[in-house]
């Protein structure tokens, strides 16, 4: 046994065939605490297995897919019929959690299969991105090794001897976060799995290339991949990608902006903005708060200036929000929750505390009740006061979607249902509200207070009942997308943050750098879980002209026309077919010689021909996209455009642009000192309907 070489077995679990998700979640919790779990599994290869052989469990079916568990074979029963006795095992303690084999126990084991008992030492929570993705597994085949199948049967297949060591190394790095370790069972089990599985993505990257090469589309795919763990190659359906993209955007996990010449620091980080104030305004009372903070500058009775966070600062603050785990599947307090202050009259306070509700003395339809009834969302936090602007007497989480009228009461009838986290307290909250007082209004947002800070306070006041609430650092990936990044003034927009976005300067890193923002005077860092993706159209401005400071802090991925995406697209008319991919390749080869590769034509312009591949659609693309683009590229040098389109070698009825000699008698008088062109150029719009005009762009197309 000691001299026997350890083999590897790959098992697969597909929820469509067997759903034991709830039991698997128990496995995850147990192995996270160091308690092994046990399963029996039927297999076709038991004859060649040995006690001590390693087992990897691969999840298939619904995304995400990949390796999620590891263990060892501790019991082996070769091919036989089912009987309950085969599961009686001294190696598997009865007081340990385990799940029986995945076949129906009322039936016989297939005659060509046996049963193995497996000790699972680590099960990962794939819903949190803890797995080795299939795309990573497939890369193991890209070397001088025998290819491994990554679509195994549930009864098991062998892991190739050349693949097993590297697979073990990847698994070890995933669960331990260590570069070198020989023992899969050793290491810090509390290492963050998501960070390990995400280290292949650059924190700052720019996709650059000519127009129409799919930069924006690739950005959406990459953002979804970063947030949801699917690989770009697995995400092929555009509608599915955009559906997931929009879901993540609604959850504030993805933000999209476009730079332009007028974009500045104030819009991106923070700035002073004019605020029109009135008696219902939620801004702070000037006479009491200006002595604490110079964030408000009064100009007139109805106008003042406030410090307003820019879009990137807001995004970073969202990415920094702690995860509040409760005993209700973490649904009580979502990441997007905010804090509200509500004044509750003393006459109804005990009723609110005793009946899990918050009541205000406004009529349901009054303007002052709109925020309380409509804007306070399920999962938001309410802190209650008796009118004090610094001390609170209760903390609650909202449990319903909208307010309602409490029947049988004369006053304080506008009501929201809540779950009290702390009540009958008396606590000064200025220290967790940036030393600012609460608003005078009955109901008002508390924008300066973090949800995790008020939850910590609630736990201090109610430790026994809130012991199951856990406040965890948020390491979910967030993706900030900047379209047309090269069109903005980088120094003006980023300011001092140009250094902070570096991977090694992020919060939590050894070389972390913070800066004091000029207006709010807050210390600011860029969270390590924020990814920045930019796009740049090289035809709009050369990459060489981009701000050098930005170039040093971003990785660049070039996006060129992909002719393979068009290779199966043909346009046929009157018995003649044109291969669109081959046609575009010829055009771009000529552009590269006459101009450069940064001004080629992207494949995306022609993708609509997949759905409607007729001559009318092709005509429309050339008239409205190709010709205007070439006119811009060559500054209306029509002779070069003719060469690009092959018009200089075509019959007249096939030319998109004709060169016509100027008659000698067109001009009169003395024109010796004037530079008169020899030709004029005419765009023949009728020829765009002629399939031969496209076919004869090059002789190379005649063979397609």
């Amino acid at each position: 046994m000691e001299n026997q070489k350890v083999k590897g077995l790959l098992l697969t679990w597909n929820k469509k065939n067997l759903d034991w998700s709830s039991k698997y979640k128990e496995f995850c919790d147990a192995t996270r605490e160091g308690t092994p779990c046990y399963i029996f599994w039927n297999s076709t290869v038991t004859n060649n297995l040995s006690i001590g052989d390693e087992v990897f469990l691969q999840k298939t079916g619904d995304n995400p897919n990949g390796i999620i568990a590891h263990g060892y074979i501790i019991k082996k029963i070769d091919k036989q019929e089912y009987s309950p006795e085969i599961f009686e095992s001294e190696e598997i303690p009865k007081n340990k959690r385990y799940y029986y084999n995945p076949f129906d126990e009322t039936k016989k084991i297939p005659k060509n299969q046996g049963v193995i008992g497996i000790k699972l030492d680590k099960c990962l929570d794939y819903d949190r991105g803890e797995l080795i993705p299939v795309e990573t597994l497939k890369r193991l085949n890209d070397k001088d090794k025998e290819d491994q199948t990554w679509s195994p049967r549930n009864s098991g297949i062998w892991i190739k001897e050349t693949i097993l060591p590297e697979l073990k190394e990847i698994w070890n790095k995933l669960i331990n976060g260590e570069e070198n370790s020989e023992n899969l069972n050793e290491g810090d089990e509390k290492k963050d799995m998501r960070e390990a599985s995400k280290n292949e993505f650059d924190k700052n990257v720019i996709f650059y290339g000519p127009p129409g090469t799919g930069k924006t589309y690739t950005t959406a795919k990459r953002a979804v991949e970063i947030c949801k763990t699917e690989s770009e190659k697995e995400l092929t359906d555009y509608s599915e990608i955009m559906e997931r993209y929009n879901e993540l955007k609604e959850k504030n996990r993805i933000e999209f902006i476009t730079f332009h010449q007028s974009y500045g620091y104030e819009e991106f980080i923070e700035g002073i903005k004019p605020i029109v104030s009135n008696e219902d305004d939620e801004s702070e009372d000037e006479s009491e708060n200006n002595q604490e903070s110079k964030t408000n500058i009064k100009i007139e009775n109805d106008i003042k200036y406030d410090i307003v966070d820019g879009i990137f600062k807001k995004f970073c603050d969202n990415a920094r929000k702690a995860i509040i785990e409760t005993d209700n599947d973490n649904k009580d307090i979502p990441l997007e929750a905010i804090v509200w202050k509500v004044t509750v009259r003393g006459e109804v306070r005990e009723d609110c505390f005793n009946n899990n509700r918050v009541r205000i003395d406004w009529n349901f339809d009054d303007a002052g009740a709109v925020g309380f009834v409509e804007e306070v969302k399920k999962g938001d936090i309410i802190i209650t006061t008796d009118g004090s602007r610094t001390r609170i007497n209760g903390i609650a989480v909202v449990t319903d979607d909208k307010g309602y009228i409490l029947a049988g009461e004369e006053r304080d009838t506008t009501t929201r249902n809540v779950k009290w986290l702390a009540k009958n307290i008396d606590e000064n909250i200025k220290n967790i509200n940036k030393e600012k007082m609460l608003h005078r209004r009955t109901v008002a947002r508390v924008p300066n207070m973090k949800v995790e800070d008020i939850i910590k306070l609630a736990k201090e006041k109610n430790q026994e009942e809130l012991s199951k609430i856990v406040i965890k650092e948020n390491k979910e990936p967030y993706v900030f997308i900047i379209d047309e990044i090269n069109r903005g003034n980088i120094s003006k927009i980023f300011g001092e943050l140009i250094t902070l976005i570096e991977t090694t300067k992020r919060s939590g890193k050894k070389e972390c750098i913070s800066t004091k923002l000029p207006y709010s005077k807050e210390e600011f860092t860029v969270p390590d879980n924020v990814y920045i993706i930019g796009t740049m159209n090289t035809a709009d401005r050369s990459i060489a002209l981009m701000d050098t400071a930005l170039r040093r802090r971003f990785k660049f991925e070039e996006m060129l026309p992909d002719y393979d995406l068009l290779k199966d697209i043909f346009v046929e008319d009157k018995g003649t077919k044109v291969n669109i991919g081959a046609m575009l390749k010829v055009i771009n080869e000529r552009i590269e010689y006459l101009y450069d590769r940064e001004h080629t034509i992207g494949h995306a312009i022609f993708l609509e021909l997949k759905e409607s591949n007729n001559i009318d659609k092709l005509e429309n693309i050339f008239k409205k996209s190709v010709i205007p683009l070439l006119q811009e590229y060559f500054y209306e040098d029509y002779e070069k455009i003719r060469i690009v389109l092959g018009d200089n070698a075509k019959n007249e009825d096939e030319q998109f642009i004709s060169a016509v000699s100027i008659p000698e008698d067109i001009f009169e008088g003395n024109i010796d000192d004037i530079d008169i062109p020899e030709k004029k150029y005419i765009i023949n719009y009728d020829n765009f309907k002629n399939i031969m005009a496209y076919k004869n762009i090059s002789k190379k197309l005649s063979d397609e």
Side-chain angles (χ1 to χ4, degrees):
M1 181 68 187
E2 293 179 358
N3 298 325
Q4 189 170 352
K5 192 171 185 179
V6 174
K7 296 185 289 293
L9 180 66
L10 186 64
L11 302 176
T12 182
W13 166 46
N14 189 332
K15 281 178 63 175
K16 295 179 181 178
N17 302 330
L18 173 73
D19 189 1
W20 48 291
S21 303
S22 59
K23 179 59 67 175
Y24 182 79
K25 295 296 184 184
E26 292 182 17
F27 290 175
C28 292
D29 295 338
T31 59
R32 190 179 294 116
E33 298 169 1
T35 303
C37 295
Y38 302 85
I39 58 173
F40 286 100
W41 207 281
N42 60 312
S43 174
T44 58
V45 293
T46 53
N47 286 345
N48 297 316
L49 289 170
S50 302
I51 305 300
D53 283 345
E54 296 192 52
V55 177
F56 284 90
L57 179 62
Q58 178 180 350
K59 180 180 174 297
T60 60
D62 297 338
N63 285 324
N65 292 332
I67 301 291
I68 58 172
H70 171 271
Y72 297 92
I73 295 175
I74 61 170
K75 188 174 181 62
K76 183 171 76 82
I77 305 170
D78 290 332
K79 303 169 185 177
Q80 65 172 9
E81 294 184 351
Y82 167 78
S83 64
E85 289 77 17
I86 69 174
F87 300 110
E88 297 298 330
S89 172
E90 295 181 0
E91 297 94 334
I92 301 181
K94 292 183 179 180
N95 63 337
K96 301 293 185 183
R97 278 170 284 187
Y98 64 88
Y99 190 83
Y100 283 130
N101 54 305
F103 54 83
D104 188 341
E105 295 176 18
T106 63
K107 299 178 182 179
K108 296 179 179 180
I109 300 172
K111 291 183 178 180
N112 66 334
Q113 296 187 11
V115 174
I116 52 176
I118 304 168
K119 176 183 178 180
L120 294 174
D121 54 40
K122 178 62 72 175
C123 298
L124 303 182
D125 189 348
Y126 52 84
D127 281 338
R128 297 172 61 184
E130 301 172 359
L131 81 167
I132 302 177
V134 172
E135 197 54 42
T136 299
L137 298 174
K138 290 179 179 178
R139 294 194 189 108
L140 298 178
N141 294 342
D142 293 339
K143 303 174 183 178
D144 297 331
K145 299 182 178 70
E146 188 177 358
D147 280 357
Q148 171 75 44
T149 299
W150 298 110
S151 299
R153 299 182 297 274
N154 63 352
S155 58
I157 63 172
W158 293 111
I159 299 174
K160 306 290 185 182
E161 289 185 9
T162 54
I163 297 291
L164 182 59
E166 200 161 351
L167 176 59
K168 290 169 60 177
E169 182 180 357
I170 294 174
W171 175 263
N172 186 50
K173 289 180 180 179
L174 175 62
I175 67 169
N176 295 327
E178 299 176 357
E179 288 300 321
N180 296 295
S181 178
E182 296 179 357
N183 192 339
L184 287 174
N185 297 319
E186 294 178 351
D188 182 4
E189 301 230 354
K190 296 183 179 179
K191 287 284 185 180
D192 182 71
M193 303 300 181
R194 177 175 295 281
E195 182 178 1
S197 64
K198 290 295 181 184
N199 58 10
E200 62 186 276
F201 298 112
D202 294 314
K203 290 292 172 64
N204 305 322
V205 63
I206 290 177
F207 295 109
Y208 71 99
T213 50
K215 295 184 292 295
T216 304
Y217 171 68
T218 303
T219 295
K221 286 178 65 177
R222 178 66 61 86
V224 172
E225 181 187 9
I226 290 172
C227 292
K228 300 284 285 186
T229 76
E230 290 96 339
S231 71
E232 290 187 39
K233 291 183 179 179
E234 290 175 351
L235 291 167
T236 56
D237 183 76
Y238 180 74
S239 58
E240 180 184 357
I241 291 169
M242 295 313 298
E243 180 181 353
R244 298 185 187 186
Y245 175 88
N246 289 324
E247 288 174 358
L248 290 163
K249 203 168 184 300
E250 289 179 6
K251 295 178 181 178
N252 298 318
R253 294 274 304 279
I254 294 176
E255 187 62 72
F256 180 95
I257 64 169
T258 301
F259 276 180
H260 50 80
Q261 289 85 346
S262 299
Y263 212 88
Y265 185 90
E266 291 74 14
E267 291 82 13
F268 197 63
I269 309 300
E270 67 173 15
I272 297 177
K273 301 288 180 69
I275 304 293
V276 178
S277 61
N278 52 57
E279 62 181 2
D280 293 326
D281 188 24
E282 294 185 6
S283 59
E284 299 286 351
D285 181 81
E286 298 296 326
S287 61
E288 297 189 45
N289 279 285
N290 271 353
Q291 56 186 327
E292 305 169 280
S293 174
K294 297 181 180 180
T295 57
N296 302 318
I297 304 170
K298 195 71 176 277
I299 304 300
E300 294 179 5
N301 291 332
D302 58 343
I303 295 179
K304 66 183 182 66
Y305 280 80
D306 255 2
I307 295 175
V308 178
D309 289 342
I311 191 167
F312 185 70
K313 183 174 183 292
K314 286 180 182 177
F315 188 79
C316 289
D317 289 342
N318 278 332
R320 236 189 299 268
K321 285 183 178 179
I323 296 174
I324 314 296
E325 291 188 347
T326 70
D327 55 357
N328 188 26
D329 296 329
N330 306 331
K331 295 177 181 178
D332 284 349
I333 307 173
L335 277 172
E336 57 269 23
I338 61 175
V339 181
W340 295 81
K341 167 260 180 183
V342 177
T343 301
V344 177
R345 293 195 313 123
E347 289 84 344
V348 298
R349 185 188 312 144
E350 287 304 314
D351 172 77
C352 291
F353 287 160
N354 294 333
N355 295 286
N356 283 321
R357 57 196 181 201
V358 174
R359 297 165 58 183
I360 62 172
D361 195 24
W362 283 84
N363 293 326
F364 190 82
D365 297 325
D366 288 347
V370 171
F372 184 72
V373 173
E374 298 285 346
E375 296 177 15
V376 176
K377 303 297 181 184
K378 183 177 180 180
D380 283 352
I381 301 297
I382 288 179
I383 56 176
T384 56
T385 77
D386 58 3
S388 170
R389 300 183 63 193
T390 58
R391 310 191 76 83
I392 63 171
N393 52 42
I395 304 170
V397 57
V398 181
T399 58
D400 62 359
D401 293 316
K402 288 187 177 182
Y404 62 94
I405 298 174
L406 185 64
E409 299 289 343
E410 294 183 2
R411 294 186 63 180
D412 305 277
T413 57
T414 301
T415 311
R416 293 299 296 262
N417 291 329
V418 301
K419 176 181 177 181
W420 289 101
L421 304 178
K423 51 190 177 182
N424 288 316
I425 63 176
D426 181 20
E427 190 71 21
N428 190 320
I429 46 77
K430 282 183 66 177
N431 63 321
I432 60 173
N433 194 37
K434 295 184 179 179
E435 297 301 324
K436 299 185 75 174
M437 292 195 291
L438 299 171
H439 199 278
R440 291 185 182 279
R441 295 180 64 191
T442 301
V443 179
R445 290 184 178 87
V446 189
N448 299 306
M449 189 178 294
K450 296 180 180 179
V451 172
E452 55 262 36
D453 289 338
I454 198 67
I455 296 299
K456 286 178 184 177
L457 177 60
K459 284 174 64 68
E460 290 175 7
K461 299 298 179 181
N462 192 6
Q463 293 183 7
E464 184 175 347
E465 291 189 23
L466 302 183
S467 60
K468 292 184 178 180
I469 293 182
V470 178
I471 302 174
K472 297 178 62 177
E473 181 183 357
N474 184 6
K475 294 193 176 182
E476 293 285 342
Y478 286 66
V479 183
F480 193 85
I481 300 171
I482 306 173
D483 199 29
E484 305 284 0
I485 191 170
N486 57 313
R487 296 186 66 231
N489 185 327
I490 300 302
S491 298
K492 174 185 174 185
I493 296 171
F494 278 87
E496 68 274 25
L497 262 67
I498 197 68
T499 300
L500 273 60
I501 65 172
E502 290 185 33
T503 303
T504 57
K505 305 298 190 296
R506 304 287 189 93
S507 58
K509 298 296 184 180
K510 292 181 180 179
E511 301 177 30
C512 174
I513 292 179
S514 66
T515 185
K516 183 173 287 188
L517 298 178
Y519 297 109
S520 63
K521 308 302 179 184
E522 294 179 21
E523 287 291 327
F524 182 77
T525 61
V526 176
D528 191 46
N529 59 333
V530 169
Y531 294 75
I532 304 174
I533 301 178
T535 68
M536 188 174 75
N537 184 349
T538 53
D540 181 51
R541 184 194 295 179
S542 172
I543 188 173
L545 300 178
M546 171 169 273
D547 189 290
T548 305
L550 190 70
R551 292 184 66 190
R552 288 193 294 107
R553 291 170 171 87
F554 278 79
K555 300 293 178 63
F556 286 79
E557 294 186 26
E558 187 174 26
M559 304 270 315
L560 293 175
D562 188 347
Y563 307 113
D564 286 340
L565 296 177
L566 305 174
K567 66 181 181 180
D568 296 326
I569 299 179
F570 291 83
V571 173
E572 183 174 1
D573 188 60
K574 298 177 182 178
T576 300
K577 291 199 303 184
V578 176
N579 185 310
I580 300 302
M583 178 193 71
L584 179 60
K585 185 176 182 180
V586 168
I587 291 174
N588 281 338
E589 285 176 345
R590 293 170 178 171
I591 292 175
E592 286 188 43
Y593 282 111
L594 293 173
Y595 204 154
D596 56 42
R597 63 187 294 175
E598 296 180 352
H599 289 79
T600 49
I601 298 174
H603 57 269
I605 294 174
F606 296 92
L607 285 177
E608 57 185 300
L609 290 170
K610 277 188 175 181
E611 299 178 358
S612 179
N613 59 337
N614 55 58
I615 189 67
D616 293 333
K617 180 66 69 174
L618 183 59
E619 174 194 4
N620 191 56
I621 292 172
F622 261 73
K623 282 183 177 180
K624 297 182 179 180
S625 298
V626 175
I627 296 299
L629 203 55
L630 293 175
Q631 288 172 326
E632 179 184 343
Y633 284 175
F634 293 103
Y635 303 99
E636 302 198 9
D637 184 342
Y638 285 101
E639 194 57 45
K640 287 184 179 178
I641 298 175
R642 276 169 47 81
I643 294 173
V644 168
L645 299 176
D647 287 339
N648 59 319
K650 292 181 189 172
N651 295 329
E652 190 173 338
D653 61 347
E654 298 171 356
Q655 296 176 10
F656 297 112
I657 300 174
S658 299
V660 180
S661 298
I662 299 178
E664 295 181 359
D665 60 351
I666 194 71
F667 299 107
E668 298 180 4
N670 186 5
I671 57 173
D672 293 339
D673 296 333
I674 299 175
D675 185 14
I676 302 295
E678 296 180 359
K679 299 177 182 179
K680 72 171 182 176
Y681 297 92
I682 301 172
I683 299 178
N684 303 313
Y685 289 105
D686 290 341
N687 291 348
F688 285 83
K689 300 179 182 294
N690 185 352
I691 190 67
M692 295 306 298
Y694 305 96
K695 187 74 172 178
N696 289 331
I697 285 177
S698 172
K699 293 180 180 179
K700 298 177 183 179
L701 301 179
S702 60
D703 299 328
E704 296 292 336

